[in-house]
Amino acid sequence: MKKIKKFAALFLCVAMTAGLIAGCGSNPSAGNGGNSAGDGGNSSGGNGDAPITLTVFSQLANYSGEQSGWSADILLDKFNVILNIVPDLNGTYQTRMEGGDLGDIVVFGSDGDQYVNAVNAGLLLDWNEEDLVQEYGPYIYEHMQNALDYNASISGGTTYGFGHNVASSMQDHEAFFYTWDIRWDLYKELGYPEVKNYDDLIELFKKMKEICPTDENGKPTYALVAWPDWDGTMAMYAKATVTAYYGYDEFEMGFYDPATNSFMGCLDDNSPYIESLRFYNQLYRNDLLDPDSMTCTYDYVQEKVAAGGTFFSIFDYAGRSLYNTEEHMAEGKMMLSLTPSEASPIAYGMSTMGGNRIWAIGAKTDYPELCMEVINYLCTPEGRITMEYGPQGVCWDYDENGKTYFTPLGKTCHQDIETSMEEAGYSGTFHDGQLQINNTTWTLDAINPDSAGERYRCDFWESELTAAKYEIEQDWREFTGCHNTEEYMESGNYQVKPASPYSAGKKGDEFQTKWDQTKECIVTYSWNAIYANSDEEFAQIIDEMISKANEYYYTECIEWSMNEAEILKESIESMK
């Protein structure tokens, strides 16, 4: 491969020059910032040369610009590299495709049409050419063969990368992240009222607002704040609530029920999606949905939740992860799980083949080996756990028995991502340093081979399975009879969507245009329905949405989705 040879020659020249300089009396410790390639490091780390900037085009990123903070320092030290993150804003993918250069490291939000188009256009690098992954991604090559093979199976027989959330074995399911977080302190104050369904939640939130009308900044409180950043075929928060409540997974222009292996369109009769829209409309009309939801960013959501401006989140990352700081918990305030008794949230099966969010390398990169080494590091146990919880020895480490534990700083950072990292010698907060590529390698529920058999996920570390540190958490444990969230979710109703080798079919340019027009109609009318001022207005908007969607290509989109659902069903059954 010409590009690999070009960079390898340059790399060898630099290495020889550095060796000559070292022989003339330079600091013998220079260059020790990186490990050998086989250990996931890069021999060029810390060699004194000008850093190399890699462009990372990520369809999952919510950030634009150079990676900063502690993760940037780690990558600079190990690889002498700076990552420039390019998110997939409106038209970015198409512009880069037309320019023939997607970037150095490329992350796809799915393995569907856009990934396939990039493969067919020759814009992605073959990971096996000149033994690229074997030589520069040794940890990937040794431990992720199923994921590499699966990628080849969906890419015309050639490996161009691998999918996210790779499992170390075909275990039952990943940890829940539809955890139904509520302000437990307020729930306790109200006397633990029974919550069976959507209606009970609305009544609960009304009472919570009565006793907690403003947040820590003196601004009005709400049940929650939704956000439009991640809207896809439907309004994200509404469709995710269907998944959290019924266990139906979002699938194309509707939902897949893993219990019956059946598909339902989002606008079908008795649609759970329309029911979810009605729930959010009821919240809005009762002043329980932040009115900025339709236009806000996720940064706004983080600030609002962290300030106690919300009572509820169906997601752990937009609830407890933002609110449960040391300060709040010491004050007797926490967000903890309370699943409506009629709900049956989804859990996702794990697979050694990985998921559909693809790590790849652009064919036009001048630094293929360096790209591979960076991705390889993110796949090593050190890299995976570091990018999740911070630098080893600073935020976490292993004890003498190989058990994982947080340092005091690491524990504080995990509970409050706005914690300053300056005392550890890094700039900014923990949040500033979180890797903005926004994709994963190993699932957090995979076994960390560098530990004494523990998962990467800290909820399962022996050091974390201790007596409750705060009275409010102990109150939740006594009420639920469970030690932690996973145990609680396992004790109730839930559905598992099994892992499978399914990959979405290609839509084609003409059909993709029809699809995009139809989904834009659904998303626009969905938000309008949420903001309706009466039952009559809500019903009118829903009728208009269905009528307009049908005037576009809803029927054709549903037929395509149903066919894909049959393929998914077959792929799931093939795994049994």
Side-chain angles (χ1 to χ4, degrees):
M1 180 183 295
K2 183 177 180 181
K3 293 183 183 63
I4 293 180
K5 289 178 179 177
K6 174 183 175 183
F7 182 67
L10 175 62
F11 179 82
L12 180 61
C13 179
V14 169
M16 292 175 65
T17 302
L20 289 173
I21 294 173
C24 295
S26 66
N27 183 350
S29 65
N32 288 343
N35 302 318
S36 66
D39 293 330
N42 181 302
S43 56
S44 63
N47 63 21
D49 298 319
I52 291 172
T53 297
L54 297 180
T55 296
V56 182
F57 172 57
S58 174
Q59 294 188 318
L60 299 167
N62 298 304
Y63 172 90
S64 178
E66 287 189 3
Q67 177 66 50
S68 63
W70 55 266
S71 66
D73 290 348
I74 290 171
L75 293 173
L76 184 65
D77 179 58
K78 286 184 172 293
F79 302 103
N80 198 33
V81 70
I82 295 170
L83 300 184
N84 180 43
I85 313 295
V86 177
D88 190 11
L89 303 176
N90 292 336
T92 303
Y93 167 81
Q94 192 60 40
T95 298
R96 300 188 77 88
M97 283 286 290
E98 291 171 358
D101 188 353
L102 287 174
D104 297 301
I105 295 174
V106 185
V107 173
F108 291 90
S110 79
D111 55 10
D113 285 357
Q114 292 188 337
Y115 169 72
V116 173
N117 289 341
V119 168
N120 293 338
L123 297 185
L124 301 180
L125 204 62
D126 177 354
W127 281 27
N128 287 317
E129 189 170 343
E130 293 196 4
D131 295 336
L132 178 64
V133 66
Q134 294 94 318
E135 291 288 333
Y136 298 95
Y139 198 87
I140 297 171
Y141 189 71
E142 182 177 354
H143 298 281
M144 291 181 163
Q145 270 300 322
N146 281 358
L148 295 174
D149 291 344
Y150 175 64
N151 179 267
S153 75
I154 65 171
S155 308
T158 300
T159 300
Y160 295 102
F162 67 92
H164 78 304
N165 274 12
V166 179
S168 49
S169 64
M170 298 296 283
Q171 296 160 280
D172 182 20
H173 63 77
E174 296 177 345
F176 295 86
F177 67 90
Y178 292 107
T179 52
W180 291 90
D181 292 0
I182 68 159
R183 277 284 298 277
W184 190 262
D185 51 300
L186 301 179
Y187 183 66
K188 176 186 177 182
E189 185 176 343
L190 291 169
Y192 314 103
E194 183 180 17
V195 177
K196 303 186 299 295
N197 50 37
Y198 286 144
D199 291 338
D200 290 343
L201 282 170
I202 292 170
E203 293 306 310
L204 174 63
F205 298 144
K206 287 180 182 178
K207 294 173 182 176
M208 286 185 169
K209 182 147 185 163
E210 289 176 2
I211 64 175
C212 183
T214 58
D215 65 17
E216 295 160 15
N217 297 322
K219 296 180 180 180
T221 54
Y222 303 97
L224 83 157
V225 52
W227 64 94
D229 297 22
W230 304 339
D231 287 347
T233 309
M234 296 165 269
M236 187 280 292
Y237 217 102
K239 68 88 181 171
T241 301
V242 174
T243 304
Y245 195 92
Y246 289 104
Y248 305 154
D249 195 33
E250 177 194 12
F251 185 80
E252 300 303 343
M253 202 160 279
F255 299 89
Y256 186 87
D257 181 358
T260 61
N261 290 314
S262 60
F263 172 81
M264 64 197 78
C266 63
L267 304 183
D268 288 359
D269 293 340
N270 301 314
S271 165
Y273 178 66
I274 294 175
E275 181 186 18
S276 178
L277 292 176
R278 183 176 290 108
F279 169 61
Y280 285 102
N281 176 241
Q282 290 293 319
L283 291 179
Y284 171 72
R285 286 161 55 193
N286 283 280
D287 198 26
L288 294 169
L289 177 70
D290 190 316
D292 290 331
S293 292
M294 187 165 62
T295 56
C296 73
T297 64
Y298 187 61
D299 286 341
Y300 173 88
V301 176
Q302 291 176 305
E303 294 172 3
K304 187 69 176 177
V305 176
T310 61
F311 309 136
F312 165 69
S313 171
I314 58 173
F315 306 108
D316 56 358
Y317 64 83
R320 70 187 63 200
S321 295
L322 299 173
Y323 183 75
N324 290 354
T325 63
E326 289 276 359
E327 181 180 359
H328 284 149
M329 293 186 290
E331 294 172 348
K333 302 173 182 178
M334 279 188 87
M335 294 191 81
L336 293 161
S337 294
L338 181 72
T339 305
S341 59
E342 295 179 6
S344 183
I346 203 167
Y348 293 97
M350 294 193 287
S351 172
T352 57
M353 296 179 294
N356 66 341
R357 301 169 188 171
I358 304 295
W359 290 94
I361 297 173
K364 294 292 183 68
T365 182
D366 288 326
Y367 310 105
E369 301 94 337
L370 184 57
C371 292
M372 184 63 73
E373 288 186 320
V374 170
I375 298 173
N376 186 70
Y377 170 70
L378 300 178
C379 296
T380 64
E382 178 194 336
R384 180 63 181 100
I385 199 169
T386 292
M387 292 303 149
E388 189 68 29
Y389 299 121
Q392 183 175 5
V394 174
C395 290
W396 64 274
D397 220 323
Y398 303 109
D399 65 18
E400 64 275 10
N401 297 313
K403 301 291 186 178
T404 326
Y405 68 90
F406 280 122
T407 65
L409 176 61
K411 183 70 172 178
T412 303
C413 289
H414 181 60
Q415 293 170 338
D416 182 3
I417 60 175
E418 298 302 331
T419 299
S420 172
M421 292 290 284
E422 291 181 4
E423 68 177 75
Y426 298 98
S427 62
T429 65
F430 182 82
H431 177 227
D432 293 333
Q434 289 181 303
L435 193 62
Q436 297 298 326
I437 297 173
N438 203 24
N439 198 18
T440 59
T441 53
W442 295 102
T443 171
L444 282 178
D445 295 293
I447 299 300
N448 172 8
D450 282 3
S451 73
E454 293 184 313
R455 304 190 200 187
Y456 289 112
R457 189 179 297 277
C458 67
D459 298 326
F460 297 94
W461 297 349
E462 185 176 291
S463 60
E464 292 295 294
L465 300 177
T466 57
K469 183 177 178 181
Y470 299 98
E471 289 184 9
I472 189 65
E473 183 180 9
Q474 184 58 34
D475 183 82
W476 178 86
R477 290 186 180 186
E478 291 173 358
F479 182 87
T480 62
C482 299
H483 191 275
N484 57 30
T485 301
E486 193 69 13
E487 184 181 344
Y488 170 74
M489 300 300 291
E490 289 275 1
S491 71
N493 299 319
Y494 65 93
Q495 290 208 71
V496 175
K497 182 185 179 184
S500 76
Y502 167 79
S503 181
K506 184 174 173 58
K507 292 185 176 71
D509 292 343
E510 181 179 352
F511 181 55
Q512 184 66 56
T513 299
K514 295 178 179 179
W515 183 276
D516 291 342
Q517 291 174 341
T518 306
K519 78 173 185 179
E520 182 178 354
C521 169
I522 292 171
V523 170
T524 299
Y525 275 94
S526 292
W527 278 107
N528 291 342
I530 289 172
Y531 280 75
N533 292 311
S534 66
D535 288 340
E536 293 76 17
E537 184 181 357
F538 178 85
Q540 178 185 353
I541 293 171
I542 294 297
D543 287 345
E544 287 183 16
M545 173 169 63
I546 294 171
S547 176
K548 290 292 184 181
N550 282 317
E551 287 179 15
Y552 283 107
Y553 308 97
Y554 180 72
T555 300
E556 189 174 341
C557 292
I558 291 302
E559 289 176 355
W560 190 87
S561 299
M562 291 178 68
N563 183 66
E564 287 294 300
E566 283 298 314
I567 298 172
L568 171 61
K569 177 182 176 181
E570 293 172 3
S571 71
I572 291 174
E573 291 176 346
S574 73
M575 300 294 291
K576 296 178 180 178

